[in-house]
């Protein structure tokens, strides 16, 4: 069984879903609260009336992150039930890219043992159900170019998340408020 809840952050309403094995989804803000909930609910069974203590702590940590505070999500348990072996490798390597730093799709491909698979890495990251915890926003295209981002707001949202960590791709990217 999967549960979810919505919560407010400095960039807008976010949501998380979890199972007994760990986090299954983190939903970044959509165009409005109901759109965020619809997207989250599509992959979660039911709304939670009372989240477990570790989920409440994770929400607090995500809220802190969204204000630009350095936050470590390395210990967050992730439910990888529906994740294939290559995606798991990509997600593990992406999780090793620390706050305020970036890597390229090609670098991740090499670190997964598949040096020619930069596009496959990009595809795996485009399906990342847990952005921020699996920090796909820290992965850039060759030449420090922004690359893609599948969350609402696209590459602008990616630039905003990087700016929260002090990484500026475009000096005009505002830090806050809102992601789009």
């Amino acid at each position: 069984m999967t549960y979810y809840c919505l919560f407010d952050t400095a960039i807008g309403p976010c949501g998380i879903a979890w199972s007994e094995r760990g986090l299954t989804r983190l939903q970044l803000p959509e165009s409005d609260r109901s759109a965020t909930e619809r997207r989250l609910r599509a992959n979660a069974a039911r709304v939670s009336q009372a989240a477990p203590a570790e989920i409440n702590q994770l929400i607090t940590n995500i809220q802190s992150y969204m204000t630009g505070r350095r936050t470590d999500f390395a210990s967050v348990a992730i439910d990888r039930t529906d994740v294939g072996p290559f995606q798991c490798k990509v997600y593990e390597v992406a999780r090793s890219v620390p706050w305020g730093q970036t890597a390229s799709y090609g670098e991740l491909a090499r670190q997964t043992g598949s040096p020619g698979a930069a596009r496959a890495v990009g595809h795996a990251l485009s399906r990342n159900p847990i952005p921020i915890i699996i920090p796909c926003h820290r992965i850039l295209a060759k030449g420090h170019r922004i690359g893609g981002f599948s969350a609402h707001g696209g590459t602008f949202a990616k630039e905003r998340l990087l700016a929260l960590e002090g990484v500026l791709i475009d000096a005009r990217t505002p830090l806050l408020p809102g992601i789009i």
Side-chain angles (χ1 to χ4, degrees):
M1 183 64 69
T2 318
Y3 298 93
Y4 76 92
C5 69
L6 293 177
F7 56 96
D8 292 319
T9 73
I11 66 167
C14 289
I16 58 172
W18 66 92
S19 72
E20 67 279 354
R21 290 180 295 281
L23 195 63
T24 61
R25 191 157 181 82
L26 191 151
Q27 183 61 50
L28 294 174
E30 291 283 326
S31 57
D32 59 40
R33 188 177 195 86
S34 63
T36 302
E37 184 172 16
R38 270 194 311 278
R39 179 72 69 102
L40 187 62
R41 192 177 45 219
N43 295 295
R46 60 175 66 158
V47 67
S48 174
Q49 299 303 317
E54 63 270 11
I55 295 299
N56 286 327
Q57 183 59 56
L58 177 57
I59 289 169
T60 298
N61 292 345
I62 293 168
Q63 289 169 323
S64 181
Y65 171 88
M66 296 299 185
T67 65
R69 290 191 184 107
R70 181 183 296 258
T71 310
D72 181 11
F73 296 110
S75 65
V76 174
I78 296 175
D79 181 344
R80 299 177 184 185
T81 302
D82 297 324
V83 180
F86 181 73
Q87 278 180 277
C88 270
K89 275 185 177 179
V90 170
Y91 294 167
E92 286 172 24
V93 173
R95 281 187 92 178
S96 72
V97 178
W99 167 282
Q101 295 184 31
T102 61
S104 70
Y105 297 108
E107 288 174 270
L108 259 65
R110 284 187 292 283
Q111 290 178 33
T112 63
S114 303
R119 285 183 186 245
V121 165
H123 181 68
L125 291 174
S126 75
R127 300 179 67 201
N128 175 12
I130 310 170
I132 310 302
I133 310 304
I134 299 171
C136 54
H137 64 284
R138 296 178 187 154
I139 313 308
L140 304 175
K142 186 177 178 182
H144 202 69
R145 292 186 332 270
I146 195 71
F149 197 58
S150 58
H152 181 72
T155 57
F156 186 69
K158 184 174 184 173
E159 286 182 271
R160 277 285 184 75
L161 293 172
L162 287 168
L164 284 172
E165 299 181 19
V167 177
L168 297 179
I169 302 298
D170 181 344
R172 297 168 296 170
T173 303
L175 184 60
L176 288 174
I179 201 161
I180 58 167

